[in-house]
């Protein structure tokens, strides 16, 4: 190898041979063994005494030549290592950025491509600075695989944060998964490795890729998927995928400009919000199609949700996740929609169609933890890069997952950028942040001695608090009208309070207390409910301490908990009547609404993520009736300002009867505002005993329209009621100047509206 002659004739006679400027054999061996820490120091164009020498590492090539951009004026390169390293002097007339590699592979395939090692630094200093500070909020357009043009050449810029790796290569379909072909350059200080691979070398949309790297001691690590991948291959495959087409240009273009404008101008606290929560793959099993899944969901789900009157859908996490049984709550690709239902552009089109139908889209998003799969973030560069090193901080015992180190700038910035990626790139209308309680407490689900106190000796996770406040501040600043919703199951104060006032800054919080108390009450036989009356009324003690969503979520219909209809007591008729009355109470109680799929028609079976909903039940009257009730409750909730406009103000709610535990009757008023004539009376009878001449105080004498009766025959009830309206007389009662005498149907909710 040390006696290789000049690779080609040039226009001037050289005074030195290539052999005199050839790297040491050990360095060439390191290149071919993918062990060299600085491939740019050898490969690509390098000045020597007679001009420029070009070296290329192309194992598997049959021959290599230097050429111009059109493939002409070829200058053969000589093999300077039998493993496939080539060298030649650059002919005059070709600059270090102008030449091309003309490659003939062993199978006869020919490539004419720019040399990846002829490109200068790729990421700007400002990018690197912001990444280091955790303030680069557009990481999805910076790191990962970015389709772009460099020096007039189309291709993919790969960039990955791995500061403790001794070397990194990008491997994929375009290089035979050979780490010697595309070893990357380290940007010292930032810990970012980068390389531009021209499209002519095979880096195209749809190309699969990973990162091959060694730890600081040179030990090889498992091949890693890209943390910033914008697309992934179909599980159980674990590779990342290059995506070329953006989300703001053909073949996809947004048509929801009016939706986004109206969203930004809408006050979410006074607007109705009724959310249909679903798991895409088991709502309709045929949606598990990696080509047409989102299209099928758009065709069937959107009309269904619109007909039922929900304002939003909420998707269980669709960020890519290796194990389907986690339902998406153990994701590894926080920038990529799962490949299970189609490509990223198809998901964007699904969101666009939802907006065209007047339906908002909320995503469940998981910044609390991630799974330990070897191809993922765990010990990404051989160190605890994304997670805490100490398992008392970095390992989640309940879920066998790893906990993000939110005290590290780059990790905090990674998560912030992920949130903004969904809200900005995909026009998502809200993020429901999962497992917030597990983030807020260092001793969450840990015994004494199993956790590390904060710097003040307390149990609060100060880094998580700071992260959540920054998240909510950034979302409010950059995404007008987008919502953040906390799944927070403790009494942490001021979750929805402003950051300026010391709160966490979420728009809404799930009211887990309301859910647990009322479902517990519902499970009792009516004869015992008198002793548990407070479980239905207690929520109004704290209903305005936060901005709440009332959730009947997927968590209540899995893991042996059964379905909602399965929680109700009594015979077949009473079970449906119980659930109808409960839904009437929920839709009129202060707070936004959320219902998990299948519960709208009272599915008997517990949810199974591997199947689909029992749509055949809708052939029976009682299940169709339940579905019709949910539709009508949504319609009434959306059209009566008294049922939503003052959700988060105590002036919008007043008990009329909250202490009739002997009859298990609840009655309250909902108002559109102080002094408003937009008033609704809600009466709930949670026993199977009809009540006749039940007198209730109301603020106005005159006509009260019976807008909805959950005991109506069309819903499957006994059709007992008040004939559509009642007249209130000037008979004071319950502290009100007037009153009405009502028939209370068994196990039913009545909703009456004052008609001036």
């Amino acid at each position: 190898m040390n006696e290789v002659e000049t690779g080609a004739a040039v226009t001037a006679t050289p005074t030195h041979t290539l052999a005199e400027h050839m790297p040491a054999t050990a360095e060439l061996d390191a290149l071919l063994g993918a062990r060299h820490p600085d491939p740019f120091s050898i490969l690509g164009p390098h000045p020597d005494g007679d001009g420029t020498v070009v070296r290329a590492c192309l194992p598997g090539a049959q021959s290599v030549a230097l050429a111009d951009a059109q493939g002409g004026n070829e200058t053969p390169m000589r093999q300077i290592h039998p493993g496939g390293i080539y060298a030649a002097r650059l002919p005059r007339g070709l600059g270090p950025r102008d030449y091309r590699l003309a490659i003939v592979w062993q199978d006869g395939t020919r490539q004419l491509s720019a040399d990846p090692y002829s490109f200068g630094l790729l990421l700007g200093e400002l990018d690197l600075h912001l990444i280091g500070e955790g303030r680069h909020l557009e990481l999805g357009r910076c790191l990962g695989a970015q389709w772009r043009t460099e020096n007039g050449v189309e291709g993919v810029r790969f960039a990955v944060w791995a500061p403790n790796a001794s070397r990194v290569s990008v491997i994929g379909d375009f290089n035979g998964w050979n780490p010697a072909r595309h070893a990357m350059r380290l940007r010292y200080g930032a810990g970012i490795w980068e390389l531009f691979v021209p499209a002519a070398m095979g880096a195209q949309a749809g190309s699969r890729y990973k990162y091959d790297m060694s730890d600081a001691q040179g030990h090889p690590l498992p091949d890693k998927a890209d943390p910033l991948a914008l697309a992934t291959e179909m599980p159980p495959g674990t590779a990342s995928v290059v995506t070329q087409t953006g989300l703001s240009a053909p073949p996809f273009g947004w048509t929801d400009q009016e939706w986004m404008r109206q969203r930004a101008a809408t006050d979410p606290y006074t607007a109705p919000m009724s959310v249909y929560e679903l798991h895409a793959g088991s709502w309709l099993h045929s949606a598990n199609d990696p080509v047409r899944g989102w299209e099928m969901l758009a065709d069937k789900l959107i009309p269904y949700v619109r007909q039922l009157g929900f304002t939003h859908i909420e998707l269980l996490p669709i960020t890519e996740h290796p194990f389907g049984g986690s339902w998406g709550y153990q994701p590894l690709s926080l920038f990529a929609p799962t490949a299970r239902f189609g490509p990223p552009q198809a998901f964007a089109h699904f969101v666009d169609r939802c907006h065209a139908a007047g339906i908002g889209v909320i995503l469940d998003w998981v910044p609390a933890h991630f799974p330990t799969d070897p191809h993922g973030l765990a010990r990404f560069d051989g160190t605890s890069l994304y997670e805490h090193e100490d398992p008392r901080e970095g390992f989640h015992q309940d879920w066998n997952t790893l906990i993000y180190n939110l005290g590290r700038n780059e990790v905090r910035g990674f998560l912030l950028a992920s949130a903004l990626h969904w809200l900005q790139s995909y026009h998502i209308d809200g993020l429901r942040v999962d497992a917030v309680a597990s983030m807020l407490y260092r001793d969450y689900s840990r015994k004494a001695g199993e956790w590390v106190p904060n710097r003040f000796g307390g149990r609060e996770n100060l880094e998580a608090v700071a992260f959540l406040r920054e998240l909510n501040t950034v979302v409010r600043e950059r995404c007008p009208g987008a919502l953040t919703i906390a799944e927070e199951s403790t009494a942490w104060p001021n979750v929805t309070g402003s950051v300026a006032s010391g709160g966490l800054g979420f728009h809404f919080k799930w009211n887990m207390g309301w859910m647990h108390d009322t479902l517990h009450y519902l499970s009792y036989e009516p004869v015992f409910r008198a002793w548990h009356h407070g479980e239905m009324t207690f929520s109004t003690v704290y209903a305005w301490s936060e901005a709440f969503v009332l959730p009947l979520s997927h968590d209540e219909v899995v893991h042996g908990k059964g379905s909602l209809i399965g929680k109700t007591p009594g015979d077949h008729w009473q079970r449906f009547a119980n659930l109808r009355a409960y839904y009437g109470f929920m839709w009129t109680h202060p707070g936004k609404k959320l219902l998990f799929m299948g519960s709208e028609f009272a599915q008997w079976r517990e949810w199974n993520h591997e199947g689909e909903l029992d749509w055949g039940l809708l052939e029976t009257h009682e299940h169709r009736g339940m579905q019709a009730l949910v539709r009508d409750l949504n319609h009434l909730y959306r059209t009566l300002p008294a049922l939503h406009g003052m959700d988060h103000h105590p002036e919008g709610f007043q008990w009329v009867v909250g202490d009739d535990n002997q009859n298990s009757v609840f009655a309250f008023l909902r108002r559109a505002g102080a002094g408003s004539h937009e008033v609704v009376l809600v009466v709930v009878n949670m026993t199977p005993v009809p009540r006749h001449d039940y007198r209730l105080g109301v603020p106005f004498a005159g006509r009260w329209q019976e807008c909805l009766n959950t005991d109506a025959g069309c819903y499957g009830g006994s059709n007992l009621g008040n004939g559509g309206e009642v007249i209130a007389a000037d008979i004071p009662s319950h502290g009100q100047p007037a009153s009405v005498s009502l028939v209370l149907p068994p196990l039913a909710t009545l909703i009456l509206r004052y008609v001036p």
Side-chain angles (χ1 to χ4, degrees), residues 118-201:
S118 68
F119 294 90
L121 300 179
L122 302 174
L123 293 179
E125 292 298 327
L126 180 58
D127 285 321
L128 300 180
H129 175 76
L130 291 175
I131 291 171
E133 288 195 340
R135 293 192 300 113
H136 200 308
L137 300 180
E138 296 188 356
L139 283 183
R141 295 184 176 92
C142 178
L143 300 182
Q146 300 293 328
W147 183 267
R148 55 187 293 111
T149 300
E150 294 282 350
N151 297 334
V153 177
E154 284 195 329
V156 182
R157 183 188 70 197
F158 294 95
V160 62
W161 179 56
N164 302 299
S166 59
R167 37 115 351 230
V168 180
S169 296
V170 59
I171 54 176
D173 294 330
F174 45 86
N175 59 23
W177 301 87
N178 186 337
R181 287 275 306 276
H182 292 121
M184 304 176 78
R185 167 175 48 209
L186 174 63
R187 301 297 298 276
Y188 290 94
I192 305 290
W193 299 78
E194 63 179 16
L195 187 72
F196 181 76
V197 180
M201 275 200 165

Side-chain angles (χ1 to χ4, degrees), residues 519-734:
L519 285 182
H520 193 241
Y521 176 91
L522 183 68
S523 69
Y524 282 104
E525 293 283 352
V527 69
F528 300 118
R529 286 175 176 168
W531 287 272
H532 299 273
H533 199 77
E535 293 182 28
M536 291 283 275
T537 61
F538 180 64
S539 59
T540 58
V541 173
Y542 60 87
W544 300 280
S545 62
E546 302 276 9
F548 282 120
V549 173
L550 308 182
L552 295 178
S553 75
H554 65 281
D555 280 330
E556 309 318 311
V557 294
V558 289
H559 300 319
K561 296 178 183 177
S563 63
L564 292 186
I565 187 73
K567 300 180 195 300
T568 58
D571 59 24
H572 187 82
W573 186 90
Q574 287 182 351
R575 285 187 146 193
F576 280 88
N578 267 301
L579 191 59
R580 290 194 301 267
Y582 180 71
Y583 283 171
F585 174 73
M586 172 184 175
W587 255 261
T588 54
H589 188 285
K592 309 309 180 185
K593 326 299 176 190
L594 179 141
L595 188 68
F596 185 61
M597 65 180 195
S599 300
E600 76 276 15
F601 58 82
Q603 176 167 298
W604 284 106
R605 285 191 307 120
E606 183 175 272
W607 171 51
N608 176 12
H609 74 274
E610 294 182 341
E612 72 173 12
L613 298 186
D614 294 333
W615 295 109
L617 293 175
L618 288 171
E619 296 177 5
T620 63
H621 176 63
E622 62 265 36
H623 291 282
R624 285 199 310 274
M626 190 70 73
Q627 185 189 57
L629 172 66
V630 170
R631 177 198 64 206
D632 291 350
L633 283 170
N634 274 328
H635 174 75
L636 206 61
Y637 167 70
R638 295 177 68 166
T639 54
L640 295 183
L643 292 181
H644 61 254
M646 295 286 284
D647 261 340
H648 310 296
H649 300 278
E651 295 84 2
F653 177 91
Q654 182 182 4
W655 281 112
V656 177
V657 171
D659 57 358
D660 188 1
N661 60 307
Q662 293 304 311
N663 292 313
S664 294
V665 170
F666 309 85
F668 53 87
L669 299 170
R670 294 297 308 275
R671 300 175 184 271
S676 172
H677 282 64
E678 287 282 348
V679 182
V680 168
L681 172 67
V682 180
V683 191
V684 186
N685 176 16
M686 292 303 289
T687 70
V689 180
R691 312 286 176 191
H692 294 273
D693 194 23
Y694 194 97
R695 184 162 293 279
L696 289 166
V698 291
F700 305 112
R703 181 183 169 207
W704 287 76
Q705 177 189 4
E706 191 175 57
C707 301
L708 188 142
N709 176 358
T710 67
D711 190 52
C714 60
Y715 304 138
S718 65
N719 228 17
L720 183 67
N722 297 276
E725 71 174 24
V726 293
I727 303 299
D730 289 317
I731 303 174
S733 183
H734 300 102

